[in-house]
Amino acid sequence: MDLIVPCIVGIMLGVFSGVLPGIGTFVSLLLIFPYLIELQPIQILICYVAITSISQYVSSIPAIVIGIPGESSSMPAVLESKNLKTVQDIQQSIVGSAVGSTFGGLIVVIMCWLFLEYIMTMLLSFDTTIMFFIYVLLIFLLIIVYKSNSITENIAMILLGLLLGLVGYTKSLYTEILTFGNKDLFGGFPLVVVAVALLGLPEIFKNFQSKIKFKTFESTRIKIKFNPIKNFIASVIGFVGGLAPGMTTILSSQLAYMYSTLMKYSPVDKITASETANNAGSFSQLLPLMMLGIPLLSSEALVINLMESKGYNLISTNFESLFYTVGVSLIFINIIGLLIAWPGARYVIQILKINTKKLYLTLVLLLFVIVLYVGYQKYQLFFYIWSFLLLGTIGWMMRNYNTMPLVFAFIIHDKIFDVTLRFISLHF
């Protein structure tokens, strides 16, 4: 019962995240930040799982109907939506995506359950050296994955994120850095301020001028065309793609799309395959987080930060019980996702017809209020305001860049430094 309310909240946020471009899972988490900090660790994780799973279901609807992806993983659906010739093709794509997403989500849960013993055995072989090289790989992929920035820009973003993370008293180095004698800075820049000012607001600003043109969509009875073999292949591809740091569901959908193109699938089948894959990837991306406490996305880094602040460590010894909790929750979430993305598609489309500019302005105001609320709760209101104004100015100047590497590096800086120092002490 304790997990039902966070799950429902996550489902509602997932719809919101999947429909509106530029919102995404990370911004959705920021919008309920005051709620999240009151939850227990497992509740935080389940809420996150609901958001990321449902957003994958829903994001295909705006991608198919208006040609704008709610999530980046739905770009293949945007490309193939131009090749849908009839209203029936549009509806079949939406239905196929919904059914395929459910199939893909459940298949990977079953696969992991069947091979759980082997996964647990593998976990026992992970030591400091392996963890160090995993984080090196993660940083490398952060540099090359975000192609909207140049490699040099991504390196600069990561270094700035690590520098911001070092501000304050650094436990691993036993010293204070760049505090300038300011007592408030001893604890470093607040996570919510950095996340809102340097990622949340820039992402909203990018999509403020979006213009929407609708295709004709009718919800009528149709014969469901579902190929289990094609969708199983897409699920496996999506599972593998979901393990790629920084890319996860994006790579899942792209790999499935490339495979379906190579196999000369119809436009409807290509959309179904890519959407099946990205939902499969939305579960596999959780495995490194649940097994080793290693986030593959900035949203996961935020989740692990919140969970650890409650004293819960995501380590191998907790994985088995955590897997069963998340797996059972995902069965429920996938059933709800199917209902929302299929018979509920016509209602989701109505959300797209609201005044998006007013909504984005409301979101900006809401994010600022959240910063004020958290600052007030921690008795640091003035500190939160001036740090928000400082970092918000930087965020505005960087609004034409992808600031994800910066915020990602900031959130996981302590893990990077801790693993690096342990690696050095062991080998040098």
Side-chain angles (χ1 to χ4, degrees):
M1 287 296 293
D2 291 342
L3 300 180
I4 293 178
V5 174
C7 186
I8 292 174
V9 171
I11 288 170
M12 294 171 63
L13 262 293
V15 173
F16 186 67
S17 169
V19 169
L20 293 173
I23 301 302
T25 304
F26 193 92
V27 177
S28 297
L29 290 171
L30 293 179
L31 291 172
I32 58 169
F33 195 86
Y35 171 70
L36 290 174
I37 58 179
E38 299 298 326
L39 296 179
Q40 295 302 311
I42 304 300
Q43 292 175 317
I44 294 172
L45 181 61
I46 294 301
C47 185
Y48 172 72
V49 169
I51 294 174
T52 189
S53 297
I54 295 297
S55 66
Q56 296 303 322
Y57 274 96
V58 176
S59 64
S60 61
I61 298 174
I64 294 168
V65 177
I66 63 176
I68 298 176
E71 292 277 358
S72 299
S73 56
S74 288
M75 278 305 299
V78 172
L79 296 174
E80 286 303 317
S81 68
K82 301 171 185 177
N83 299 321
L84 301 176
K85 304 300 183 183
T86 65
V87 175
Q88 286 71 29
D89 283 345
I90 294 172
Q91 188 177 358
Q92 187 66 60
S93 296
I94 290 175
V95 174
S97 296
V99 176
S101 292
T102 305
F103 181 84
L106 295 178
I107 281 292
V108 294
V109 172
I110 294 170
M111 287 173 59
C112 287
W113 177 72
L114 291 174
F115 296 102
L116 186 59
E117 182 180 344
Y118 299 99
I119 294 174
M120 293 299 297
T121 302
M122 179 189 68
L123 286 179
L124 297 176
S125 66
F126 280 78
D127 56 17
T128 296
T129 301
I130 293 177
M131 294 290 287
F132 172 76
F133 284 108
I134 288 175
Y135 275 105
V136 170
L137 176 62
L138 182 61
I139 294 296
F140 174 74
L141 290 172
L142 280 176
I143 293 171
I144 65 173
V145 159
Y146 295 102
K147 297 185 181 298
S148 52
N149 303 330
S150 67
I151 290 178
T152 303
E153 288 166 347
N154 280 334
I155 293 174
M157 291 276 185
I158 292 170
L159 291 176
L160 180 56
L162 293 175
L163 179 62
L164 283 175
L166 280 174
V167 173
Y169 182 80
T170 306
K171 295 179 182 178
S172 55
L173 300 177
Y174 303 103
T175 185
E176 60 182 83
I177 298 175
L178 298 175
T179 61
F180 307 105
N182 188 311
K183 293 181 179 179
D184 286 325
L185 277 176
F186 270 54
F189 283 108
L191 172 61
V192 66
V193 174
V194 174
V196 169
L198 296 180
L199 183 60
L201 295 183
E203 285 298 310
I204 291 175
F205 291 146
K206 287 176 191 175
N207 293 275
F208 185 74
Q209 299 297 332
S210 298
K211 293 182 179 180
I212 295 176
K213 293 182 180 179
F214 288 87
K215 290 184 178 181
T216 302
F217 172 73
E218 296 177 4
S219 183
T220 57
R221 287 188 177 183
I222 60 170
K223 182 180 179 181
I224 300 175
K225 300 177 181 178
F226 182 78
N227 189 312
I229 296 176
K230 287 183 178 179
N231 282 275
F232 179 80
I233 294 172
S235 299
V236 174
I237 292 173
F239 178 86
V240 174
L243 296 172
M247 292 289 283
T248 60
T249 56
I250 299 174
L251 182 61
S252 295
S253 62
Q254 290 289 349
L255 288 175
Y257 180 62
M258 287 188 286
Y259 173 80
S260 62
T261 301
L262 183 66
M263 300 302 292
K264 297 182 179 180
Y265 286 7
S266 69
V268 171
D269 287 342
K270 288 180 183 178
I271 292 173
T272 300
S274 64
E275 291 300 316
T276 298
N278 68 35
N279 216 58
S282 71
F283 177 74
S284 61
Q285 73 181 23
L286 295 169
L287 293 178
L289 178 74
M290 293 192 295
M291 291 190 297
L292 302 168
I294 296 177
L296 302 184
L297 299 168
S298 57
S299 55
E300 289 187 353
L302 180 60
V303 168
I304 192 174
N305 188 286
L306 288 169
M307 293 180 72
E308 289 181 346
S309 71
K310 304 278 186 177
Y312 188 94
N313 292 318
L314 288 160
I315 54 178
S316 58
T317 53
N318 295 331
F319 173 68
E320 188 170 4
S321 61
L322 199 60
F323 171 81
Y324 286 119
T325 301
V326 172
V328 172
S329 299
L330 268 172
I331 294 173
F332 170 75
I333 291 168
N334 275 282
I335 293 172
I336 298 299
L338 176 62
L339 296 175
I340 292 173
W342 179 5
R346 63 182 182 274
Y347 301 111
V348 172
I349 292 172
Q350 297 304 312
I351 300 175
L352 295 166
K353 296 182 179 180
I354 62 178
N355 189 314
T356 53
K357 288 187 177 181
K358 289 183 179 179
L359 178 60
Y360 283 134
L361 288 174
T362 303
L363 291 178
V364 170
L365 179 61
L366 181 58
L367 288 173
F368 180 63
V369 170
I370 288 170
V371 169
L372 295 181
Y373 173 81
V374 177
Y376 175 77
Q377 289 291 101
K378 294 184 177 294
Y379 304 101
Q380 291 182 305
L381 181 58
F382 181 71
F383 171 56
Y384 272 62
I385 291 174
W386 76 252
S387 58
F388 176 81
L389 293 175
L390 172 64
L391 297 178
T393 302
I394 298 173
W396 170 260
M397 292 189 294
M398 300 174 70
R399 67 189 183 279
N400 294 323
Y401 298 93
N402 189 334
T403 57
M404 192 74 77
L406 189 162
V407 176
F408 198 120
F410 172 83
I411 297 175
I412 66 169
H413 75 276
D414 54 341
K415 292 182 176 295
I416 292 174
F417 289 125
D418 181 57
V419 169
T420 301
L421 289 173
R422 283 194 283 119
F423 177 79
I424 292 173
S425 66
L426 281 172
H427 298 281
F428 300 97

